[in-house]
Amino acid sequence: MGKKASLKDLGISTILVKAWWSMLYLGIFVFGKHIPLPFAKLQTGQVNPLLVATGGDSSQASLFSLGISPWMSAMIIIGMLAQLRLPMMSKMTERKMDIGQKALTFFLTVIQATVMLREFQLTDNGFGSHLAAGLFLMTGSFLLIWLSVENDKNGLGGISLILMANMFFTLMKSFANGLIPGLSAQSANIVRALALFVILLLGAVTVILTNAERRVPVTKLLISAEFGSESYLPIRILPAGTMPAMFATTMFVLPKYILQFFYNLSNWKFFKVLANAFNLSQVSGLVLYYLILVGLTYGFSYISIDPVQQADDMQKSGDYIPGCRPGKETEKYLRHLINIFSFVSSIYFVAFTGLPLGLTLLDAKLSSLVMLPNYVIILAGFGAAIAEQIEVLQIRGQYRGLL
């Protein structure tokens, strides 16, 4: 009989297997980015930095140009509706909610694929050509969704791996192009050096804040004091992590796609005016982006830590926070803490991802540069999550087998 593998070896082996799966999914993603869209010129030259955080790329008409923006939008909408505890939503089973999310994803995919086709130059303007290209874009989006879900099951980084890869490739491309178009070689190198310094500093700060937490003491009555009756409830300084920075771009472009879709159908200029309001080169667009960013920060914080559910679970299990009565008083205290940290998170995200976007009011050429802080915060946050996932897998090597 062969030698029994140790738990440490099993932990390392699991990490390696998951890493290989992730590399396979990334390879499919990179390959798909170079599969051209039928009846369209591959290189469009039109870069939409907002699509990058959703796995999309409008600079080339390819299989994965659309990204997973429709799926991300559907997840947010269904998640927020569930958080509101509407009577209709509370009666729905998880299976029905999953079906509703998939149906909404399909609906949004049709809308966004239809609008995106208008951004590409097709060689054939016939109905059949548009239908084939639209179905191709939708297929690519569904394939990316499948890759993300499979990576969450088998790989490292969860559903965010594809998004991280897309942002990383965009960062590298931006650095290669000098970040700001039209600069001399010397000026471009200076900008690269300053940008690299900001990236390292902002990345380090984001990792620190992502891991920082407030430990609320919790007394557990049903656990013997011999094993430690006192524990704590961790509430992170950034309760929603870096998800608001990523999903804000998704929810910002969604209304524009929908309004543009209805304008294409009706040719009513009212929809066109509203769609133009969602433009980061205008004051209205910046204000809307800030509101969406703050709203998502609070929304994701309450999804991450549900004070109503948390207080109810503690009351049922006999746990309590010293100085707080179980039930409504505990819920009120937790809600107070979440509001404080959500406010801190909002300031952080608006200051480092929102305010730099104001530079696009001065010059539209700065759009790629001002999105760098957004990409860095997202990459740093999810990078820290991957490191934590690997650490958890390694922990099994610290325990000795019973047999």
Side-chain angles (χ1 to χ4, degrees):
M1 295 180 62
K3 183 179 180 181
K4 185 177 180 180
S6 67
L7 291 176
K8 183 176 181 180
D9 292 336
L10 287 175
I12 296 175
S13 176
T14 301
I15 294 173
L16 291 177
V17 170
K18 286 181 173 293
W20 278 114
W21 275 112
S22 294
M23 291 177 64
L24 174 62
Y25 299 141
L26 286 177
I28 297 174
F29 172 65
V30 174
F31 180 74
K33 284 174 66 68
H34 293 86
I35 299 178
L37 186 70
F39 309 105
K41 184 180 178 181
L42 179 60
Q43 301 296 332
T44 65
Q46 301 174 358
V47 180
N48 186 349
L50 293 176
L51 284 178
V52 175
T54 63
D57 185 5
S58 61
S59 64
Q60 55 184 18
S62 67
L63 177 64
F64 294 149
S65 290
L66 184 57
I68 60 174
S69 177
W71 184 47
M72 295 170 64
S73 301
M75 283 195 298
I76 296 174
I77 294 172
I78 297 299
M80 292 301 179
L81 289 177
Q83 188 65 22
L84 292 176
R85 290 184 170 82
L86 300 175
M88 180 183 66
M89 296 297 295
S90 60
K91 296 179 182 179
M92 293 182 64
T93 62
E94 290 187 7
R95 182 174 180 273
K96 289 184 178 180
M97 290 185 66
D98 182 62
I99 293 175
Q101 180 178 313
K102 290 177 179 177
L104 182 58
T105 299
F106 179 80
F107 174 72
L108 295 178
T109 303
V110 172
I111 290 179
Q112 296 194 23
T114 303
V115 175
M116 179 169 278
L117 280 180
R118 295 289 186 112
E119 301 177 6
F120 300 143
Q121 184 179 357
L122 299 184
T123 57
D124 187 347
N125 292 322
F127 174 78
S129 302
H130 279 78
L131 179 61
L135 291 175
F136 196 77
L137 276 178
M138 293 174 59
T139 302
S141 182
F142 294 142
L143 179 56
L144 277 183
I145 294 172
W146 179 80
L147 288 176
S148 300
V149 173
E150 288 301 303
N151 186 71
D152 188 39
K153 296 177 182 177
N154 306 319
L156 298 172
I159 63 174
S160 62
L161 180 69
I162 301 296
L163 309 180
M164 293 177 62
N166 201 44
M167 285 183 281
F168 179 78
F169 295 151
T170 302
L171 277 174
M172 295 299 99
K173 186 184 296 183
S174 298
F175 266 84
N177 295 333
L179 296 174
I180 301 177
L183 292 180
S184 63
Q186 183 177 2
S187 299
N189 288 332
I190 295 175
V191 172
R192 289 190 185 100
L194 292 175
L196 182 60
F197 173 77
V198 172
I199 286 174
L200 294 176
L201 179 62
L202 186 57
V205 172
T206 301
V207 171
I208 293 173
L209 290 179
T210 300
N211 294 326
E213 61 185 21
R214 164 75 181 275
R215 297 182 174 182
V216 180
V218 175
T219 300
K220 298 180 178 291
L221 296 179
L222 300 182
I223 298 180
S224 172
E226 181 181 355
F227 299 99
S229 61
E230 293 189 1
S231 183
Y232 62 86
L233 172 66
I235 300 180
R236 294 181 183 265
I237 302 299
L238 302 180
T242 58
M243 288 191 296
M246 179 179 68
F247 283 91
T249 59
T250 303
M251 298 307 295
F252 182 77
V253 299
L254 177 61
K256 185 172 184 177
Y257 274 117
I258 295 176
L259 292 168
Q260 188 67 42
F261 176 78
F262 284 113
Y263 171 73
N264 294 339
L265 288 179
S266 63
N267 204 28
W268 190 16
K269 291 186 178 179
F270 175 72
F271 290 122
K272 184 68 172 178
V273 173
L274 291 179
N276 290 335
F278 289 87
N279 192 333
L280 292 179
S281 61
Q282 298 181 5
V283 176
S284 61
L286 290 174
V287 173
L288 289 171
Y289 185 83
Y290 297 155
L291 292 176
I292 290 173
L293 189 59
V294 173
L296 288 178
T297 301
Y298 277 85
F300 277 121
S301 296
Y302 275 90
I303 291 177
S304 176
I305 306 174
D306 188 341
V308 177
Q309 187 66 43
Q310 187 68 46
D312 185 57
D313 291 342
M314 292 177 63
Q315 188 174 25
K316 290 179 179 178
S317 61
D319 303 340
Y320 68 92
I321 298 175
C324 290
R325 291 185 177 182
K328 290 294 182 181
E329 188 172 336
T330 299
E331 176 191 336
K332 183 179 179 181
Y333 177 70
L334 293 177
R335 193 180 298 274
H336 173 69
L337 289 180
I338 295 173
N339 287 334
I340 290 177
F341 292 130
S342 296
F343 179 73
V344 173
S345 300
S346 299
I347 294 177
Y348 179 72
F349 289 130
V350 171
F352 290 102
T353 68
L355 292 182
L357 296 176
L359 295 176
T360 55
L361 297 176
L362 304 177
D363 192 344
K365 293 181 179 180
L366 300 176
S367 59
S368 297
L369 179 65
V370 297
M371 285 298 294
L372 286 182
N374 193 301
Y375 299 158
V376 171
I377 286 178
I378 296 173
L379 287 171
F382 285 113
I386 292 177
E388 184 176 347
Q389 181 183 1
I390 294 175
E391 184 178 356
V392 170
L393 292 173
Q394 287 179 324
I395 287 179
R396 67 176 62 187
Q398 300 177 8
Y399 297 89
R400 303 175 67 177
L402 296 176
L403 299 178

